[in-house]
Amino acid sequence: MAVVVDDETNPFRLPPDDQIFVIREKERQRRAEERERVKHQKVWQKTTASSRVHKNRRIDDGIDEAQIAAEAASKTKTQRRDGAVTRETRREKENVSEFVKKKREMFLVQMHLDVQKAEILKLDERAKKKDEALKRSQQMLEEDVTRFDAFLQTTDKNAHKALKNAEEKTKIKT
């Protein structure tokens, strides 16, 4: 069982040394052009790393570099026609403004909730303080009642003693 491997169909075949340097140089040039193009774009036109993930693809996926460049050129032409804002750009701006509007509204709602929570906490604290003051005053009243009762009892005893002494003195005189 001899397996014949065709070099042209083998995807793991390394290109010759001179081709490697040519490929690397083309890649460097393409990156430099991309950086220059991105330098002149507006912030909302630039892409993030996560949006560039789908652009990473295999070298031989059937799409020609010239075809990709032509598509990119046609997109830039449709995006900027004589300096006028196209429908897509306007929609992006509307989306950004809607996003900012929603974020602002969310912030205001969150701020309102935070203010309400703070107010509730402040009212709870006031209620606790009033409850404590009420308990203290109630305890003071109870202490006053017990002291008054003790005073009445001592006064009653003293009055009873005085009455007994007066009766004894009247008996002794008679």
Side-chain angles (χ1 to χ4, degrees):
M1 285 210 281
V3 177
V4 178
V5 178
D6 187 11
D7 283 340
E8 290 189 27
T9 60
N10 186 357
F12 302 106
R13 178 183 62 84
L14 289 175
D17 290 340
D18 60 336
Q19 286 292 325
I20 289 176
F21 294 117
V22 169
I23 292 171
R24 287 179 66 192
E25 188 59 37
K26 284 182 181 177
E27 187 66 25
R28 280 191 195 123
Q29 186 178 7
R30 187 186 63 77
R31 283 191 206 131
E33 289 172 358
E34 181 69 20
R35 277 194 301 271
E36 284 299 316
R37 186 180 63 80
V38 169
K39 280 183 184 177
H40 302 292
Q41 287 182 336
K42 303 288 184 190
V43 171
W44 60 85
Q45 293 172 335
K46 294 180 182 180
T47 59
T48 61
S50 61
S51 66
R52 287 188 296 260
V53 168
H54 72 281
K55 289 184 179 181
N56 294 341
R57 58 185 189 284
R58 294 179 303 191
I59 293 174
D60 188 24
D61 62 354
I63 299 177
D64 189 16
E65 293 289 330
Q67 184 181 0
I68 294 172
E71 288 176 8
S74 68
K75 282 184 182 179
T76 56
K77 285 180 184 176
T78 57
Q79 285 179 353
R80 294 185 181 186
R81 258 188 220 144
D82 301 328
V85 178
T86 63
R87 192 176 294 178
E88 289 179 20
T89 312
R90 193 175 324 125
R91 190 173 305 141
E92 286 178 10
K93 284 183 182 177
E94 288 174 1
N95 289 341
V96 169
S97 65
E98 288 175 14
F99 175 75
V100 169
K101 183 179 176 183
K102 286 180 183 177
K103 280 290 192 181
R104 181 176 185 270
E105 186 176 339
M106 287 171 43
F107 170 75
L108 291 174
V109 167
Q110 186 64 43
M111 188 175 76
H112 181 69
L113 287 174
D114 291 344
V115 167
Q116 281 183 342
K117 284 181 184 177
E119 189 68 26
I120 288 171
L121 290 175
K122 191 180 359 174
L123 291 174
D124 283 344
E125 190 65 30
R126 270 194 213 158
K128 285 179 185 177
K129 285 181 181 179
K130 284 186 179 183
D131 283 344
E132 289 174 7
L134 184 63
K135 285 180 183 177
R136 274 188 261 124
S137 62
Q138 218 170 15
Q139 188 179 13
M140 289 171 63
L141 280 175
E142 288 174 2
E143 289 173 2
D144 286 345
V145 165
T146 55
R147 278 188 274 161
F148 185 68
D149 284 343
F151 171 74
L152 282 179
Q153 285 176 356
T154 55
T155 326
D156 232 4
K157 283 181 186 177
N158 289 340
H160 237 319
K161 281 183 187 178
L163 189 59
K164 225 180 201 181
N165 283 340
E167 283 179 7
E168 285 178 13
K169 284 183 183 180
T170 53
K171 277 186 188 179
I172 295 176
K173 285 185 185 180
T174 46

